[in-house]
Amino acid sequence: GENVEQHPSTLSVQEGDSAVIKCTYSDSASNYFPWYKQELGKGPQLIIDIRSNVGEKKDQRIAVTLNKTAKHFSLHITETQPEDSAVYFCAASINNDMRFGAGTRLTVKP
Amino acid sequence: DTEVTQTPKHLVMGMTNKKSLKCEQHMGHRAMYWYKQKAKKPPELMFVYSYEKLSINESVPSRFSPECPNSSLLNLHLHALQPEDSALYLCASSPSGASGGGGYNEQFFGPGTRLTVL
């Protein structure tokens, strides 16, 4: 089955700096790659996603890149703010079967 | 209505109790999911319902029994649970079933039910 690895497990940045989180996946059949933000006591919130026929996608301060050949995808957050502090999960999906990475705890220091 | 709702928010039960978790969405989504999330871990897929039929069961013990009465509702019936089953149980929904959407299926999560088994 699909195996998703996510790095780093923790990331601390200064407000205004950029943050990058990287994931790899094992199953070349995976075709959908969402990113979720989870705050304490809440369910995961979809923040951006990318499909296998696209290499890059941007939404304001958030961007995601996908390298299908290398089976890598990454989340980039620019101009970080304290409210970006949360746990971020990457995931890889085939049809409705979605597998998550282990998560990255991002802390943005004011 | 653009959200997934779950009840109850918190549940404490003994190992001999029978209880149910409920999930509801009114977005017209055709797939619904149950996930289990332990502290500081990612969500783990338990069950997927596509067009009200069980399409994925990740070898979950029979003490967890899912039910999909209609396209808007998803239940998880609990019986004879163990303390290690204590976790956050998340429900999600997505617009298309397994064969629809080209496989690109955004999943939207509810807030979860925090379950404690004593």
Side-chain angles (χ1 to χ4, degrees):
Chain A
E2 176 63 274
N3 182 46
V4 180
E5 295 194 357
Q6 182 172 346
H7 299 280
S9 56
T10 60
L11 180 58
S12 182
V13 299
Q14 209 62 39
E15 182 177 358
D17 287 350
S18 295
V20 179
I21 302 171
K22 298 184 178 183
C23 290
T24 61
Y25 62 100
S26 61
D27 192 335
S28 57
S30 289
N31 59 2
Y32 174 65
F33 306 91
W35 287 86
Y36 287 89
K37 175 183 181 183
Q38 188 172 26
E39 295 174 293
L40 196 62
K42 296 185 178 180
Q45 177 194 2
L46 180 66
I47 57 171
I48 196 168
D49 56 14
I50 192 166
R51 301 178 177 186
S52 58
N53 58 352
V54 174
E56 188 172 351
K57 183 177 177 181
K58 188 174 182 181
D59 182 5
Q60 299 182 343
R61 296 186 296 109
I62 296 173
V64 58
T65 59
L66 171 65
N67 182 329
K68 282 174 54 180
T69 304
K71 296 183 197 162
H72 288 173
F73 57 116
S74 300
L75 177 72
H76 303 250
I77 306 174
T78 58
E79 301 171 24
T80 54
Q81 301 166 2
E83 50 266 37
D84 294 330
S85 296
V87 178
Y88 290 80
F89 291 102
C90 64
S93 176
I94 307 170
N95 293 325
N96 289 343
D97 191 346
M98 189 160 74
R99 305 294 161 153
F100 286 82
T104 296
R105 180 170 297 279
L106 174 64
T107 303
V108 181
K109 300 176 185 176
Chain B
D1 191 344
T2 58
E3 61 177 7
V4 176
T5 59
Q6 291 186 243
T7 55
K9 286 187 184 298
H10 302 276
L11 179 62
V12 179
M13 60 187 290
M15 288 189 283
T16 58
N17 292 156
K18 285 185 182 181
K19 297 286 185 183
S20 296
L21 309 184
K22 295 185 184 302
C23 174
E24 195 165 353
Q25 58 86 15
H26 295 288
M27 296 178 279
H29 289 179
R30 303 315 304 266
M32 296 185 75
Y33 312 75
W34 281 116
Y35 287 84
K36 174 183 178 179
Q37 187 177 25
K38 300 283 275 184
K40 299 187 178 181
K41 296 290 186 183
E44 293 178 10
L45 185 64
M46 299 174 72
F47 303 104
V48 180
Y49 273 83
S50 177
Y51 297 97
E52 301 164 46
K53 289 186 168 48
L54 184 65
S55 64
I56 296 177
N57 176 343
E58 287 294 321
S59 302
V60 178
S62 60
R63 58 186 184 268
F64 296 92
S65 176
E67 179 197 19
C68 189
N70 60 55
S71 60
S72 299
L73 293 174
L74 186 66
N75 299 321
L76 186 63
H77 303 298
L78 313 173
H79 173 54
L81 294 193
Q82 304 296 309
E84 57 265 30
D85 296 322
S86 298
L88 180 68
Y89 287 84
L90 294 161
C91 174
S93 70
S94 62
S96 301
S99 59
Y104 310 129
N105 242 335
E106 304 96 324
Q107 293 187 24
F108 299 94
F109 283 82
T113 293
R114 175 75 58 190
L115 174 67
T116 303
V117 182
L118 301 177

